[in-house]
Amino acid sequence: MTRFDPYFQSALDALSRQHLRRDLAPLAHHGPAIVRRDGTELLNFSSNDYLGLSRHPALRDRAIDWTRRFGTGSGASRLVTGTTDQHRLVEEKLARFKGTEAALLFASGWQANAAVLPSLFRLSREQAGAPALVFTDRLNHASMHHGCQAAGVRQIRFAHNDLDHLDQLLAQRRGQAGLRFIVTESVFSMDGDRADIAGLRALADRHEAFLYLDEAHATGVLGPQGRGLSAQSGHIQSGSTPSGGADLAMGTFSKAMGSFGAYVAGSRALCDWLVSTCSGFIYTTALPPGLLGAIDAALDLVPTMDAARAHLSAISDRVRTGIAALGWDTGASTTQIVPVIVGPADRTLQLARTLTDHGILGSAIRPPTVPAGTARIRLALSAAHDDSMIDRLLRALAAGTGPA
């Protein structure tokens, strides 16, 4: 015990009174859709394993093969001795998957957003002689807000997915010094709704802004062959960005791609700039061979999984329809992420306990992860869920307290 522990305990007690304290709950995974916790088997509706690839034999076997051949660690950062042929191979395959000139691997999605954004904003001071003008969606992931804070920039926040508001904010600053950056997600992790990528691209072109798109929850699931929403209307090409594309697409391998790590994809000059200036890339040990093998296998497999994506879309629609019939609000969700918006944190925790009692793992999401008054059960559907599992989920929700 240290002299500061009473302060910690007092603060923890305050969180408990507000129903905002978090606790770790160990469990064992038994396939992509079933877990066991405290001796009880639960259907897992809280995982981001959207295509059920986390235990796919192709990913497992290549991870084992590359570990046997190349070892368990990379030994250093990429700029020291950490770059191997396997890193280059995976980045080249990733760039082809995203339709870009180049791609760069990162350790995690949080790390990528938190480190890449300051590197980009530095460009404004050095090349435009003024701080960057950064326009961000109010519901962006915490890692993106952290990246802006780390860069010391003031976020110019637009109402969630409101492109008219964004247009107004951009127009108000026409003529102001500084490079412009629009920073948003393609699929929002707590709401399951989508950004208008073509509309964002049009605004970026009109106002000469750089479009930064977080594709963590779209990669593998949405767009042609699961290549993300930025791939729907075109790809990043040398010298221009066609309608529908992003200047930088960030994504992760820890969700639909079934393993761990992250990437950014864009022009060669962009990736070269990050290699020289992005602290999260420069000072982090390179991804290990086994993880690279799993990523490599996923990049081979995901483009072939249109049937799994169609099934995922169908069950997501069915869940939204079923939840609406029970009187719950699912917001603007149109994807595999379906929130059951309850409101108060205590009632949300009660619903989570009811789901557990009925054999369903549905995690309660509370402030500050979501805005005050919008606590929810965040359902994350997977292609591994079958119709009987969806039946059980809807029966469990029906057993809940229902909206007040």
Side-chain angles (χ1 to χ4, degrees), residues 231-244:
Q232 285 190 331
S233 300
H235 317 305
I236 304 168
Q237 302 290 346
S238 178
S240 65
T241 309
S243 174

Side-chain angles (χ1 to χ4, degrees), residues 375-399:
R376 67 201 61 187
I377 301 296
R378 176 189 180 273
L379 299 175
L381 301 175
S382 169
H385 291 132
D386 61 28
D387 288 337
S388 67
M389 294 175 180
I390 302 303
D391 291 340
R392 285 183 58 186
L393 169 65
L394 293 175
R395 286 197 298 270
L397 285 168

Side-chain angles (χ1 to χ4, degrees), residues 78 87 90-96 98 100-106 263-268 271:
R78 292 285 299 278
H87 289 93
V90 170
E91 286 174 342
E92 289 169 1
K93 184 179 289 188
L94 176 59
R96 291 193 297 272
K98 293 297 292 182
T100 62
E101 289 182 341
L104 207 58
L105 294 168
F106 283 81
Y263 67 85
V264 297
S267 71
R268 170 54 62 191
C271 291

Side-chain angles (χ1 to χ4, degrees), residues 53 61 92 98 135 164 187 235-236 323:
L53 292 184
D61 292 349
E92 289 169 1
K98 293 297 292 182
F135 301 83
D164 289 337
V187 172
H235 317 305
I236 304 168
I323 291 172

Side-chain angles (χ1 to χ4, degrees), residues 106-328:
F106 283 81
S108 74
W110 174 279
Q111 182 218 33
N113 281 333
V116 169
L117 288 170
S119 178
L120 292 177
F121 302 154
R122 170 181 166 181
L123 198 67
S124 184
R125 286 192 179 276
E126 295 191 4
Q127 296 297 311
L133 300 173
V134 182
F135 301 83
T136 60
D137 191 291
R138 287 188 179 277
L139 295 188
N140 276 351
H141 191 268
S143 59
M144 302 166 85
H145 294 309
H146 184 87
C148 294
Q149 292 166 0
V153 301
R154 174 182 171 270
Q155 296 185 59
I156 305 166
R157 300 194 184 189
F158 57 93
H160 177 53
N161 273 343
D162 188 337
L163 298 196
D164 289 337
H165 187 212
L166 173 59
D167 192 19
Q168 293 170 11
L169 293 173
L170 286 160
Q172 287 169 6
R173 288 157 179 82
R174 185 175 290 118
Q176 185 173 337
L179 300 181
R180 286 147 178 75
F181 294 85
I182 299 170
V183 180
T184 188
E185 301 180 52
S186 61
V187 172
F188 286 82
S189 61
M190 291 298 117
D191 295 86
D193 55 344
R194 313 180 195 207
D196 178 356
I197 309 304
L200 286 164
R201 181 70 261 163
L203 283 181
D205 290 342
R206 187 184 314 153
H207 295 280
E208 298 183 337
F210 183 104
L211 179 56
Y212 183 109
L213 193 63
D214 181 329
E215 293 254 71
H217 294 273
T219 301
V221 177
L222 299 172
Q225 298 180 311
R227 292 187 285 113
L229 289 178
S230 63
Q232 285 190 331
S233 300
H235 317 305
I236 304 168
Q237 302 290 346
S238 178
S240 65
T241 309
S243 174
D247 295 290
L248 181 151
M250 191 285 294
T252 61
F253 303 108
S254 54
K255 300 172 179 63
M257 306 296 274
S259 59
F260 191 71
Y263 67 85
V264 297
S267 71
R268 170 54 62 191
L270 164 67
C271 291
D272 287 349
W273 170 254
L274 295 177
V275 167
S276 292
T277 64
C278 180
S279 62
F281 179 87
I282 296 170
Y283 301 112
T284 299
T285 299
L287 296 183
L291 181 53
L292 292 173
I295 294 170
D296 187 64
L299 288 170
D300 287 341
L301 188 62
V302 164
T304 71
M305 299 184 68
D306 284 346
R309 283 184 282 272
H311 171 68
L312 180 57
S313 177
I315 63 172
S316 301
D317 288 342
R318 183 183 170 206
V319 167
R320 271 187 292 273
T321 299
I323 291 172
L326 294 172
W328 297 104

